[in-house]
């Protein structure tokens, strides 16, 4: 199962996520729900609790894909593969965090405002910098992957 990780994700990052998920294989099924986000998808997610609300509140603070590592293929949301993927018990999320960190990834569950499903490449800052956005504009995703040793 490739879990949606492929040519649109840097190979080092994709390999670390696959290793993390392989380690987690157990009584609950984890899966890479979302990795690379399009500009349109990011706008939609940013609209939660701003332009529309279904009760879940803010989904992201990144107004565009260039302000989220999802927009660079360097982040993935890992959730439980069932009818309520974001409603897993805290032990599920903690296991993701421990496995992610063991494989050199950063888990959003340790942030001041926790993002439990979020896992990203461990050599990146929490969010893309002005320099990262400029590099993306001039050299594309591959240039950013190279900068952070994920290519």
């Amino acid at each position: 199962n490739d879990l949606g990780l492929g040519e649109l994700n840097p190979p080092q990052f994709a390999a670390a996520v696959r290793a993390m998920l392989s380690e987690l294989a157990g009584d609950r099924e984890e899966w890479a729900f979302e990795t690379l986000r399009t500009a349109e998808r990011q706008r939609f997610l940013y609209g939660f609790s701003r332009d529309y609300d279904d009760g879940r509140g803010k989904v992201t603070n990144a107004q565009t894909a260039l302000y989220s590592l999802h927009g660079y293929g360097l982040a993935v949301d890992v959730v439980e593969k069932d009818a309520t993927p974001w409603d897993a018990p805290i032990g599920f999320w903690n296991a993701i965090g421990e496995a992610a960190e063991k494989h050199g990834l950063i888990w959003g569950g340790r942030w001041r405002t926790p993002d439990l499903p979020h896992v990203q490449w461990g050599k990146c800052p929490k969010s893309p910098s002005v320099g990262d956005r400029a590099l993306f504009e001039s050299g594309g995703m591959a240039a950013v992957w190279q900068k952070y040793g994920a290519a």
Side-chain angles (χ1 to χ4, degrees):
N1 185 353
D2 195 36
L3 306 162
L5 298 166
E7 65 186 47
L8 297 178
N9 297 99
Q12 301 284 351
F13 172 68
V17 172
R18 284 188 191 99
M20 175 195 78
L21 291 170
S22 177
E23 179 179 317
L24 287 168
D27 58 342
R28 292 185 178 273
E29 189 175 0
E30 306 83 5
W31 67 298
F33 172 75
E34 184 169 58
T35 181
L36 180 65
R37 284 190 192 148
T38 64
E40 179 181 53
R41 174 78 174 152
Q42 190 67 35
R43 276 192 304 275
F44 170 74
L45 293 174
Y46 183 78
F48 278 94
S49 85
R50 293 176 179 90
D51 301 327
Y52 36 84
D53 191 4
D54 67 354
R56 72 178 98 172
K58 287 183 183 176
V59 173
T60 182
N61 290 318
Q63 191 167 4
T64 75
L66 292 180
Y67 284 78
S68 166
L69 288 174
H70 284 282
Y72 300 78
L74 289 164
V76 61
D77 288 336
V78 178
V79 297
E80 188 174 21
K81 192 171 188 175
D82 69 3
T84 58
W86 288 271
D87 293 333
I90 193 63
F92 173 85
W93 303 114
N94 287 335
I96 288 173
E98 290 170 17
E101 291 167 351
K102 181 178 178 181
H103 293 280
L105 301 165
I106 293 172
W107 176 48
R110 300 221 191 274
W111 294 343
R112 186 170 27 116
T113 303
D115 185 353
L116 298 175
H118 185 88
V119 174
Q120 69 183 47
W121 182 239
K123 297 178 182 176
C124 293
K126 181 179 174 184
S127 299
S129 68
V130 172
D132 294 336
R133 291 188 288 279
L135 184 59
F136 180 88
E137 292 295 328
S138 66
M141 280 193 297
V144 179
W145 299 350
Q146 189 74 29
K147 175 182 176 180
Y148 291 112

